[in-house]
Amino acid sequence: MLTHGYGLLGSIALLFTTSFALAANSSDPCATIAGKATANFHDAKACLDYFKFDKDIAKRTVDTVRKVTKELYVFNEVAASPPNVEGLSTPSVNISYGLDLILKEDWKSDREFQEAVALLLDKVQDAHLSYVPFCYRQFVFWQPIQLNSVLRNKRLVANVAFVKNDVWPEAKESWVGCEVTEIDGMEAMEMIVNYAVNNNGESKDVNTCYNNIMNTKSYFHGWDDGADDLGYHRFLPAQEFHNYTMRCPKEGTKPVQEDYEEPFTVQVPWIAQVPPRFSNADSYWSTFCQSSHLQKRDAHYDLHELKTIYEGDVFALNSEGNMNAVGSSKGPYIEFIELEDEYSKVGVIDIQSFSIASEDKDSFINDVITGFKRFEKKGIEKIILDLSSNGGGDACAGEFLISTLFNSTPDYMSDVKYSPFLERVVKKAYEQESTKWTDYANKEFSGSSWFTKTKEYKRGQDTVKFSQPVTLSCNDWNSDISQTYKNTKWAASDVLILSDGRCGSTCAIVASRLHLSHKVPAMGLGGIRGNRMQFASFPGGESDRLSSFLMDLEILGLTEDSDAPSPFPERADMGWTFREVYKPTSTFTGEETDLLEYNAINADCRMHFDDENAEDIKKLWSDVAKVILDGQCPYTKK
């Protein structure tokens, strides 16, 4: 039976992809590992590289990526020639030129081509900009040694945080707490920093990239963002194994005493957890790779497939290597925690996500209001606002938190990159009063004129057209709020933002607004010792995904527009920033140097993990509580 939405064209696509898979090799390496819990590197690679490179699929994929980046990605021009900002890593990436080079290559497999496209966008170091080929994100690759970074006797060291002997029985629990001194013959910290700089595209702040590739169990909220850390990938690793040189504490001593046994080296392989639901290459392709859009359609998209992709129901295994439960809850979003003993006057607000599901909106609002009321009743005097590893979400949820804590915040100006195609989209949205494009406002302009009456600004080497400055309207979100709370107890100096830098998107804008407009101090957590650290990442503005954008085009009746990006011919999705946000200035100029994405906003103070608080979140919060009670992290003017 065919999946709903495929129809006759889907049947043709299935026949085509079957021959497509078989053309690559006479044997079937996917059948060899099907049904197994794990596979070694070579067997997993053989399955993933089984599918032949197809020039037509490559061209159609690149055409869509090029249209999106050229017409819709707001930072496309500035990424090609970015400003030099102290504290930020801003490599020059000409996306269109990079795509040209990719098309000229005769790739050995479809996977290599798909990964090249993903890597190109990753190099921009904007986590909103991504290409995700789901065909090659189904395996979960583990290093059985999982590292974190701790400050031990004033030295930042690579430490074995835990081992995964469930995937590799040779991994020994006795290695936990050992210091890793070398990796693949290179000094361990040097190797880790190099990897963070060159292989992690999540942030323009190297400290955040460093934190992202290390594993601190207390902050593993399951933010599955591409998984390019040292010990966990969703893509095929670059090599089969790593050599770790370790020195372990002598029996009866603690790591902090640094009384070590003789160093030893162990070769640790990458182990692949094999996804379920396939029996051979054909069924792997039809389950995880095949798109009903492989055969070009005249008018309508497969909304069932787009919705499945948009809702994330495309991974057979979740971020912990377990089978995904479709539709499972991602909560809790926010927790109010009262510390104990000498820190009983300090409360923690741990906000793990602003991605509030529509059915959870009322409970989120209630949790925020009742939490503040409980803190007030309990006599909480200082608040730690923990935004670590918060990947963002609904901007209006963030606005609600700010207004609840500090009443209103001056609007941060934003704009959208103009194109004739997007003008047709925005106009149609206003005609139908549908989709997100009606949520933006400029008091001086009515209807869609905020977009059609353009302004021009310099971006990199180009002059680019943008909409009028706009703000996001949260009227619909706020209209559902039946109860309110106005803070009269806590001043900005009573609150401390705590972040490992992985506070991204909406979270980054919330943190920046609290810091810049309300002067709430911020503490950076972790990172590389000896340099300044940002407390927020990729605050570019607002992002979209191709799956969502195409569903909007279907609603607006614009699927046949000649400039519309086509669905990918394989099951994949793409994200990008379409609305850029500026930092507050006395006069709005539209300068690229005022963009939040290209500003380094450093934390006021810093704390590193140690052997105790890296594994115990309450111990970490107690350490931070001591800092805030002693007044050791005041706001410093930027």
Side-chain angles (χ1 to χ4, degrees):
M1 180 179 292
L2 293 174
T3 304
H4 172 71
Y6 277 47
L8 177 60
L9 289 177
S11 302
I12 296 172
L14 181 59
L15 292 172
F16 178 83
T17 52
T18 299
S19 61
F20 173 83
L22 291 174
N25 205 316
S26 58
S27 61
D28 188 341
C30 295
T32 302
I33 59 176
K36 294 183 178 180
T38 61
N40 63 40
F41 174 88
H42 285 293
D43 287 348
K45 183 178 186 299
C47 177
L48 292 173
D49 281 343
Y50 182 67
F51 306 105
K52 186 179 178 182
F53 172 61
D54 184 283
K55 290 186 177 180
D56 179 65
I57 284 179
K59 183 180 184 304
R60 290 170 58 187
T61 300
V62 165
D63 284 348
T64 293
V65 174
R66 195 190 306 274
K67 275 189 176 181
V68 169
T69 52
K70 182 180 178 181
E71 301 290 329
L72 304 174
Y73 180 45
V74 74
F75 298 130
N76 182 61
E77 288 76 18
V78 70
S81 184
N84 184 18
V85 181
E86 184 179 358
L88 295 185
S89 173
T90 53
S92 300
V93 182
N94 186 317
I95 298 172
S96 184
Y97 177 70
L99 292 172
D100 288 340
L101 294 180
I102 288 172
L103 274 183
K104 291 178 181 178
E105 187 76 22
D106 187 17
W107 299 95
K108 295 178 181 178
S109 67
D110 180 61
R111 180 195 65 82
E112 288 190 353
F113 160 74
Q114 299 285 343
E115 297 292 13
V117 176
L119 181 61
L120 172 65
L121 301 191
D122 194 60
K123 290 299 182 183
V124 179
Q125 295 184 305
D126 173 5
H128 282 140
L129 182 66
S130 63
Y131 173 71
V132 185
F134 296 120
C135 183
Y136 306 107
R137 296 292 185 270
Q138 299 303 323
F139 289 78
V140 174
F141 293 90
W142 291 100
Q143 272 283 279
I145 288 182
Q146 296 285 302
L147 304 182
N148 64 5
S149 176
V150 297
L151 193 63
R152 185 177 290 163
N153 296 325
K154 299 183 179 181
R155 290 189 309 116
L156 198 62
V157 303
N159 173 70
V160 179
F162 60 101
V163 296
K164 286 192 63 65
N165 45 26
D166 57 331
V167 298
W168 192 54
E170 288 85 346
K172 298 179 180 179
E173 292 288 345
S174 61
W175 294 345
V176 175
C178 296
E179 178 185 347
V180 176
T181 58
E182 292 184 3
I183 302 175
D184 295 335
M186 182 183 295
E187 195 274 325
M189 293 305 298
E190 181 183 356
M191 183 272 185
I192 293 168
V193 171
N194 285 343
Y195 187 94
V197 171
N198 296 309
N199 294 280
N200 188 275
E202 182 173 302
S203 173
K204 295 176 175 65
D205 174 33
V206 67
N207 294 285
T208 300
C209 293
Y210 178 89
N211 283 342
N212 190 47
I213 69 171
M214 305 298 275
N215 264 313
T216 301
K217 290 178 74 174
S218 58
Y219 276 131
F220 195 74
H221 290 332
W223 175 13
D224 194 2
D225 55 355
D228 45 3
D229 68 17
L230 280 177
Y232 164 60
H233 289 354
R234 275 201 181 271
F235 53 82
L236 184 74
Q239 60 196 75
E240 180 182 0
F241 53 78
H242 293 287
N243 291 305
Y244 294 85
T245 299
M246 295 183 280
R247 54 180 188 175
C248 299
K250 290 181 178 178
E251 187 174 353
T253 68
K254 295 182 178 181
V256 71
Q257 294 175 265
E258 298 197 87
D259 187 8
Y260 296 113
E261 301 282 2
E262 286 297 312
F264 63 95
T265 300
V266 59
Q267 188 175 88
V268 181
W270 280 97
I271 302 295
Q273 284 190 271
V274 180
R277 306 205 303 266
F278 76 96
S279 58
N280 53 30
D282 288 347
S283 59
Y284 184 93
W285 184 266
S286 62
T287 301
F288 302 123
C289 315
Q290 175 183 306
S291 170
S292 61
H293 299 109
L294 176 63
Q295 298 299 317
K296 297 178 182 178
R297 295 173 173 234
D298 293 331
H300 298 290
Y301 305 137
D302 183 342
L303 295 181
H304 172 74
E305 178 174 303
L306 293 176
K307 187 172 184 289
T308 298
I309 290 173
Y310 177 72
E311 293 181 348
D313 295 334
V314 289
F315 295 114
L317 299 173
N318 65 18
S319 58
E320 296 179 347
N322 301 317
M323 287 186 63
N324 255 339
V326 175
S328 60
S329 172
K330 293 182 172 61
Y333 304 104
I334 185 169
E335 293 184 88
F336 286 72
I337 301 105
E338 299 149 31
L339 299 184
E340 299 173 346
D341 301 326
E342 67 265 42
Y343 305 117
S344 60
K345 295 297 183 182
V346 179
V348 178
I349 305 176
D350 183 20
I351 307 179
Q352 300 183 11
S353 176
F354 288 109
S355 295
I356 315 300
S358 57
E359 63 270 21
D360 295 336
K361 178 181 169 183
D362 289 342
S363 62
F364 173 77
I365 292 170
N366 182 68
D367 288 346
V368 171
I369 292 173
T370 57
F372 278 120
K373 288 180 177 179
R374 192 180 82 238
F375 271 13
E376 191 167 339
K377 184 177 180 180
K378 293 282 188 177
I380 297 297
E381 296 176 357
K382 303 289 184 180
I383 293 175
I384 299 169
L385 185 62
D386 195 340
L387 299 175
S388 297
S389 295
N390 182 320
D394 191 330
C396 291
E399 178 66 31
F400 168 71
L401 178 73
I402 295 173
S403 61
T404 301
L405 191 55
F406 292 119
N407 299 319
S408 63
T409 300
D411 287 327
Y412 279 28
M413 289 295 102
S414 64
D415 53 33
V416 178
K417 182 179 172 181
Y418 173 85
S419 71
F421 163 63
L422 198 53
E423 177 176 333
R424 295 192 290 275
V425 172
V426 174
K427 283 183 174 180
K428 184 67 73 170
Y430 274 87
E431 289 175 12
Q432 297 186 8
E433 296 183 352
S434 63
T435 72
K436 62 178 169 290
W437 299 104
T438 60
D439 292 337
Y440 308 107
N442 182 313
K443 295 178 180 179
E444 298 179 10
F445 296 86
S446 61
S448 62
S449 61
W450 65 267
F451 186 82
T452 59
K453 296 184 182 300
T454 60
K455 300 176 77 71
E456 292 186 348
Y457 307 123
K458 190 75 178 294
R459 292 291 185 265
Q461 300 299 315
D462 300 303
T463 299
V464 183
K465 286 186 177 181
F466 291 90
S467 72
Q468 294 292 322
V470 293
T471 57
L472 176 66
S473 171
C474 291
N475 291 337
D476 290 342
W477 213 90
N478 294 333
S479 64
D480 294 334
I481 299 176
S482 58
Q483 56 176 324
T484 59
Y485 171 84
K486 295 300 180 184
N487 165 42
T488 58
K489 180 176 178 61
W490 299 284
S493 57
D494 297 321
V495 181
L496 177 66
I497 297 167
L498 175 66
S499 172
D500 59 358
R502 300 185 70 222
C503 164
S505 193
T506 287
C507 181
I509 295 174
V510 168
S512 298
R513 291 177 70 170
L514 287 171
H515 187 73
L516 295 175
S517 296
H518 295 285
K519 297 181 172 50
V520 176
M523 173 185 282
L525 180 62
I528 303 166
R529 199 174 185 210
N531 61 355
R532 300 295 299 276
M533 177 180 176
Q534 293 187 84
F535 55 88
S537 298
F538 57 99
E542 189 173 359
S543 64
D544 206 347
R545 286 159 53 194
L546 187 65
S547 53
S548 171
F549 187 77
L550 294 178
M551 287 191 286
D552 282 351
L553 293 186
E554 187 79 42
I555 292 170
L556 298 173
L558 291 173
T559 59
E560 295 183 88
D561 191 297
S562 60
D563 292 325
S566 299
F568 288 117
E570 288 181 24
R571 190 172 294 189
D573 207 0
M574 179 180 178
W576 68 92
T577 314
F578 70 86
R579 183 169 65 94
E580 59 186 7
V581 175
Y582 298 83
K583 68 180 183 180
T585 55
S586 56
T587 303
F588 178 78
T589 63
E591 296 288 337
E592 65 183 32
T593 52
D594 290 336
L595 294 169
L596 275 182
E597 182 73 22
Y598 288 90
N599 268 265
I601 306 173
N602 295 314
D604 300 292
C605 61
R606 187 80 163 274
M607 179 176 288
H608 289 276
F609 294 105
D610 61 29
D611 284 297
E612 294 184 8
N613 64 31
E615 295 298 305
D616 184 347
I617 190 68
K618 289 193 174 180
K619 176 64 170 65
L620 174 67
W621 287 333
S622 294
D623 292 345
V624 177
K626 185 178 188 307
V627 172
I628 191 173
L629 287 173
D630 292 346
Q632 295 178 343
C633 189
Y635 173 84
T636 54
K637 186 176 180 180
K638 302 297 186 287

